[in-house]
Amino acid sequence: MAVMRHPLVQAPVDPEKKTIVVLGSGWASTSFLKDIDTDQYNVVVVSPRNYFLFTPLLPSCTVGTVDVRSLVEPTRFVARHKSRDVKVYEAECTEIDPKKKVITIADNSEVKGQSAVSTLPYDYLVIGVGAMSQTFGIKGVEEYGCFLKEVWDAQKIRTKLMDCIETAAFPNQDPDEIDRLLHMVVVGGGPTGIEYAAELHDFLVEDLVRWYPELAGKVKITLVEALPNVLPAFSKQLIEYTESTFKEQNITIHTKTMVQEVREKEIMVKRPDGTTDNIPYGLLVWATGNTTRPVIRELMAKFPETQKVRRGLEVDDWLRLNGSEDIYALGDATATRYAPTAQVAAQQGKYLARLFHQLATREELESQIAESVSEEEKSKKERRLKKSRDIKPFQYSHQGSLCYVGSDKAVADLPFGAGNLATGGVATFAFWRSAYISNLFSTRNRSLVITDWLKKTFLGRDISRE
């Protein structure tokens, strides 16, 4: 515990070591940072945010079940516990020059000094910048919708939710306007959309009914999904369980329904029969998937022969960028056969740290062999070198899929033997909680989240609007 609060003295940057520049502070980059051996490399981290965010519990922050601060881990906390000094810059990478092996970074904060743009050289570049929310080019989404990927998204949703409720409680409000204000629409039937709708339902039945009894019965939750069913990555049994649970909770699900336009107070949708309809809303949460960031699209344009997939960077089985020898990419920034999940990104980060350890070991052995005097010593190191050159490709190990569906119930699709174990209910909710607690990055985060859950249970959620 003392080491956690008071990290040990770090070794200085070694100019003779190669430098790895890491872009991003999400699941992939933070997993890589935690496992990379800084005795072998100098490491620099560049990210627009100076913390890691535990995204699976972000829907809980939108209604006050969990506090946002409980889910963040400062990047410098991880960096300060490495053996060698790790430079951390809160900045956005605006350009990557693969020929000169230099990146351009810009200070994206509100407070700027005399220096707001700089360049950083690298020997190896690790790209883990994640992705942006996908709007599919639908008019009005960015202007009127609320995304759910970052801390500020959760804060914006919470503020707007309470604003809708307080405005509906204003004197002499028209009944139709009250119905619109209290209609919460979620677009996207994946885990994020499902969990937000579930958290919103819990907030309604556990807290709003006490403090806004005249309004609680008028709140409606609607989920819109373009595919034939919600949670497409889960088994049919769990899809049906989720849909029946939502029906019990009076959450309306519209599948095979495509959003065509988003307006200030309504969305225009295309129904399964081809007809169009307008759905009025007070709050619109958009949770439909990912698209690449501008810096990634610009990098792809510099490799026209090897980067031909629009949804992300193409990498080989060792996570190396196709067309480059010294750029690696992982997580949601890539286009692989794996789903864009935190589980995949975390495993890729750990794998890449091991790969770099093998690369450093190989270079060290090659140098030692060149300086070896005796044949016996040379032969021994050549055997070790041969072993270090055998770098196995990345293999994803699926640990299962979890999703909270409201009313203290969850669903889980877990690998079991040669098949899968599909389960749902209150017991699965207990497993869901324990799994998320064990995956939090620090004892501090675990303690804070458990405390938040206890506060919610005994004291209720905070209904104040910031």
Side-chain angles (χ1 to χ4, degrees):
M1 186 65 72
V3 175
M4 290 175 62
R5 291 289 304 277
H6 307 286
L8 302 175
V9 177
Q10 294 176 299
V13 171
D14 186 347
E16 296 185 2
K17 303 284 186 185
K18 289 187 175 182
T19 297
I20 302 174
V21 173
V22 183
L23 301 183
S25 57
W27 280 93
S29 298
T30 303
S31 296
F32 175 81
L33 180 61
K34 284 176 73 73
D35 284 19
I36 188 66
D37 188 348
T38 51
D39 288 332
Q40 297 176 321
Y41 298 95
N42 299 314
V43 178
V44 179
V45 179
V46 177
S47 177
R49 63 186 193 194
N50 66 351
Y51 56 85
F52 162 79
L53 172 65
F54 189 82
T55 49
L57 284 175
L58 195 58
S60 299
C61 298
T62 60
V63 294
T65 305
V66 174
D67 189 84
V68 166
R69 288 287 171 188
S70 303
L71 302 183
V72 298
E73 183 75 13
T75 302
R76 293 181 187 276
F77 181 90
V78 181
R80 281 290 285 119
H81 285 83
K82 307 301 291 184
S83 61
R84 189 181 302 282
D85 182 25
V86 175
K87 300 296 182 184
V88 179
Y89 300 117
E90 187 185 64
E92 187 165 357
C93 177
T94 57
E95 185 182 359
I96 299 170
D97 188 335
K99 291 183 178 179
K100 295 180 179 179
K101 298 177 71 169
V102 167
I103 66 167
T104 302
I105 63 173
D107 183 355
N108 65 346
S109 63
E110 293 182 3
V111 179
K112 291 181 175 63
Q114 290 182 341
S115 175
V117 179
S118 185
T119 58
L120 296 174
Y122 65 83
D123 293 297
Y124 294 110
L125 181 65
V126 174
I127 302 175
V129 297
M132 303 189 306
S133 295
Q134 174 67 275
T135 65
F136 303 100
I138 297 172
K139 183 181 177 182
V141 174
E142 292 188 5
E143 188 176 358
Y144 302 116
C146 296
F147 301 120
L148 189 49
K149 288 185 75 69
E150 302 287 353
V151 164
W152 49 85
D153 293 331
Q155 292 169 331
K156 178 182 176 181
I157 289 172
R158 184 174 180 181
T159 299
K160 193 163 184 179
L161 171 65
M162 295 312 303
D163 201 359
C164 285
I165 293 168
E166 291 292 354
T167 304
F170 196 79
N172 304 317
Q173 198 68 268
D174 183 79
D176 289 338
E177 184 66 359
I178 291 174
D179 290 340
R180 181 190 70 79
L181 288 165
L182 298 181
H183 189 193
M184 314 306 171
V185 177
V186 183
V187 179
T192 301
I194 292 292
E195 291 194 338
Y196 174 69
E199 290 283 357
L200 187 55
H201 164 266
D202 289 355
F203 181 46
L204 169 64
V205 299
E206 294 173 7
D207 296 273
L208 286 186
V209 73
R210 299 176 186 174
W211 311 117
Y212 300 87
E214 74 283 8
L215 296 178
K218 300 177 182 179
V219 177
K220 286 177 59 182
I221 305 170
T222 297
L223 188 141
V224 178
E225 170 57 51
L227 295 177
N229 53 260
V230 299
L231 298 178
F234 285 68
S235 67
K236 183 180 179 182
Q237 175 188 345
L238 295 181
I239 291 170
E240 291 174 351
Y241 179 85
T242 301
E243 291 177 345
S244 65
T245 301
F246 270 28
K247 188 175 182 180
E248 292 172 5
Q249 296 170 163
N250 295 317
I251 299 175
T252 304
I253 299 177
H254 294 301
T255 55
K256 300 179 183 178
T257 303
M258 299 181 66
V259 178
Q260 294 188 316
E261 185 181 346
V262 176
R263 297 165 185 159
E264 185 178 4
K265 297 182 179 181
E266 64 182 9
I267 60 173
M268 186 170 73
V269 299
K270 184 177 181 181
R271 299 289 187 183
D273 60 4
T275 59
T276 58
D277 192 11
N278 293 328
I279 301 177
Y281 69 87
L283 170 66
L284 175 68
V285 175
W286 193 270
T288 59
N290 299 328
T291 188
T292 53
R293 297 187 183 277
V295 69
I296 298 300
R297 291 196 291 270
E298 290 173 11
L299 178 62
M300 290 165 64
K302 295 175 181 178
F303 295 91
E305 298 298 320
T306 55
Q307 297 295 322
K308 299 179 180 180
V309 179
R310 293 180 61 185
R311 63 186 178 91
L313 296 170
E314 291 185 77
V315 295
D316 61 19
D317 291 340
W318 293 267
L319 304 182
R320 184 170 50 201
L321 185 73
N322 288 348
S324 175
E325 292 295 320
D326 40 49
I327 299 179
Y328 292 79
L330 60 176
D332 292 357
T334 61
T336 65
R337 63 181 182 273
Y338 307 113
T341 64
Q343 193 177 154
V344 171
Q347 289 187 30
Q348 287 177 332
K350 291 178 181 293
Y351 165 81
L352 198 56
R354 294 195 301 271
L355 182 145
F356 273 105
H357 173 70
Q358 284 187 265
L359 290 178
T361 302
R362 187 174 69 188
E363 290 181 5
E364 184 181 354
L365 286 170
E366 287 172 347
S367 176
Q368 290 175 357
I369 288 171
E371 298 171 359
S372 295
V373 179
S374 68
E375 286 298 322
E376 182 182 352
E377 181 185 0
K378 188 175 181 179
S379 177
K380 187 184 296 183
K381 289 182 177 177
E382 283 178 344
R383 287 195 297 271
R384 287 181 60 196
L385 177 60
K386 185 179 179 181
K387 187 177 180 180
S388 69
R389 282 176 173 161
D390 181 24
I391 302 177
K392 292 180 171 54
F394 173 71
Q395 290 288 337
Y396 170 60
S397 173
H398 185 58
Q399 303 299 310
S401 301
L402 300 169
C403 186
Y404 180 61
V405 296
S407 302
D408 291 345
K409 297 176 183 177
V411 293
D413 226 341
L414 307 171
F416 186 75
N420 273 25
L421 174 64
T423 178
V426 176
T428 308
F429 170 64
F431 175 75
W432 175 86
R433 277 195 164 181
S434 63
Y436 279 9
I437 284 294
S438 65
N439 280 308
L440 284 163
F441 266 21
S442 71
T443 303
R444 169 186 168 276
N445 289 131
R446 295 185 190 101
S447 302
L448 289 172
V449 169
I450 291 172
T451 302
D452 288 342
W453 283 340
L454 290 173
K455 283 196 300 183
K456 188 273 294 184
T457 301
F458 294 107
L459 303 176
R461 298 172 180 84
D462 181 9
I463 61 167
S464 59
R465 182 168 72 88
E466 297 177 1

